[in-house]
Each structure stands twice: as structure tokens, then as C-alpha cells.
Amino acid sequence: MAARKLSDDYLHLGHRRRLVQALRNRGIDNERVLAAIGQVPRHWFVDKAYEHLAYEDRALPIPRGQTISQPYTVAFQSSLLEAEENMKILEVGTGSGYQAAVLGKLGLRVFTLERQEPLYASARILLSKQRFGKVRCFLRDGYKGLPVYGPYDRILVTAAAPEVPEALLSQLAVGGHLVIPVGTDQQSMLRVRCVQPGEFVTEEHGTFKFVPFQEGIVATEH
């Protein structure tokens, strides 16, 4: 995806404006999030074969059996973060890099983890070459987080976990929010707030469908 010539013209901008309006019509009312989505060319983050579908509100396949989340899900999770500019955020599950780009456009300091080396490599190239803000990519096991740069004001997980990983809770700053889909067949979107060291409050925010959150690192096949 990153190797092809990238363009972004008035036609794409028109598609994004219509997408933003569709998200607003579905109840997304965080104007900062909507503005960020309006600035990120989603068609750069999908396979060329799916580029004509990039601005439909739907998930699309990306390599390694993964998906790029539908824009509504990206907007919903981003809004749940209630993040303020310059906060430090850990994203678990870089995938194509689209969600990380949106977070970068929100003015956040983004540390994003990917376990699949081919996805990590392509996302890192794309995110580094384009102006999406302060985004740093790491090839890591998301279950372990990234403690060296913690604690984090916000943590966002973009894959379905059977339960909230303790390692991620331990890297959440007091006053911070962790947004994560939890469940097997369908997932509940949870927002976990750290109210004081070792004490958390959990809220449920509807049901969603994500690919599974898996452990370990998968290297490039040679």
C-alpha cells in the first residue's frame, strides 16, 4: 500500500466531507474527531483494489487477515478517549495505520504497536512520510504494552480481547482512560478509568465486532 503513488484531490476531499456528515448523522458529535477524520485520506490506508470503497462507512480487509475498522468505529473509539491535545496515547493494533493517523491529527503524542511485521513495516513508512503529527510505530506484543514510555494518559485497543490485559492497566496514568472492545463473538466497548493507583471504574458503551487480540510477534515471511 505504501509503495504506490499517493494522491489526494478535490474528489477525495468531497468524499471525506460526505463521510464526516454521515458520521455526524449517526450521532458522532465530537467536532475535533470529525475534523481529524476529514483530514486523513483513508484511501491511502486501504489496498488499491478497495480504494473505491474507502469512504464508505464499512470495515475493509487489509493484509494478514486483518481489517481497517469502519470510520464510525474509529470515530466512536476516538470520541470515547476524550483526549486533549498533547496527551500521550498508546494504541495497540496499528493495522494499516489509519486510526493512528486520526489520533495524530488530534494533536496527540501517539505510540502505536503492531505484532505483524509486514503491517508494522508498511504503516511505519506511510505514517513517517506523511504529516499526521507525532506518531511513533513499534513492532511489539500488544499484550505487554510499551512500559518504557508509560504511563499513558490514554490507551486505545483496536482488537477484541477476552478480558482487559493487566499489563495495559498498569501502564494507565491516574485519571487516564483505556478504551477496549472485550468479548468473543461480539464485544462490549469498555472505557476503563483509573481513578487512583490500582483502582478502576469500567463503563460499557455498546457492542461492536473486531478481529481477535492475539499475543506474540509475527515476523515477515521470507
Side-chain angles (χ1 to χ4, degrees):
M1 288 185 289
R4 72 175 188 257
K5 184 177 179 181
L6 300 177
S7 64
D8 189 40
D9 55 27
Y10 285 109
L11 181 61
H12 295 120
L13 181 58
H15 288 323
R16 287 202 292 281
R17 286 174 175 165
R18 285 189 288 274
L19 173 61
V20 166
Q21 187 57 50
L23 296 175
R24 191 179 281 117
N25 292 343
R26 287 197 63 182
I28 301 297
D29 59 5
N30 187 314
E31 290 299 326
R32 289 182 62 238
V33 169
L34 291 170
I37 288 175
Q39 294 174 58
V40 177
R42 190 172 185 250
H43 63 283
W44 290 357
F45 295 87
V46 302
D47 189 271
K48 186 72 174 176
Y50 298 101
E51 191 171 313
H52 64 293
L53 302 174
Y55 295 103
E56 293 190 11
D57 189 17
R58 58 187 285 185
L60 294 170
I62 61 174
R64 311 294 289 195
Q66 304 302 297
T67 61
I68 177 173
S69 293
Q70 72 179 96
Y72 176 79
T73 303
V74 171
F76 190 88
Q77 285 195 294
S78 299
S79 297
L80 273 185
L81 290 171
E82 295 181 344
E84 298 175 7
E85 192 168 352
N86 211 39
M87 279 185 169
K88 185 164 55 174
I89 179 167
L90 176 67
E91 182 199 22
V92 179
T94 311
S96 68
Y98 178 67
Q99 174 73 81
V102 171
L103 297 173
K105 283 294 187 181
L106 284 170
L108 306 179
R109 291 177 290 154
V110 184
F111 300 80
T112 181
L113 312 183
E114 176 55 53
R115 67 184 290 268
Q116 300 265 8
E117 189 173 3
L119 295 180
Y120 154 76
S122 60
R124 182 178 59 82
I125 292 170
L126 178 54
L127 291 168
S128 65
K129 283 186 175 180
Q130 306 302 321
R131 295 181 178 179
F132 294 119
K134 301 173 182 177
V135 181
R136 296 179 64 181
C137 300
F138 299 85
L139 180 65
R140 293 288 192 279
D141 180 346
Y143 265 91
K144 298 177 180 177
L146 193 67
V148 66
Y149 294 108
Y152 300 94
D153 302 301
R154 300 290 188 266
I155 299 176
L156 176 63
V157 180
T158 62
E163 58 188 17
V164 181
E166 289 292 333
L168 298 184
L169 290 175
S170 72
Q171 294 169 43
L172 187 62
V174 173
H177 303 168
L178 164 63
V179 173
I180 180 172
V182 174
T184 51
D185 197 29
Q186 272 196 330
Q187 297 87 43
S188 295
M189 188 67 71
L190 304 184
R191 179 167 62 187
V192 184
R193 301 172 182 263
C194 181
V195 294
Q196 61 183 33
E199 183 177 335
F200 304 92
V201 175
T202 301
E203 310 162 355
E204 292 193 21
H205 292 272
T207 57
F208 288 81
K209 185 78 171 177
F210 283 80
V211 296
F213 188 0
Q214 297 178 322
E215 298 185 65
I217 294 174
V218 182
T220 303
E221 295 177 357
H222 297 287

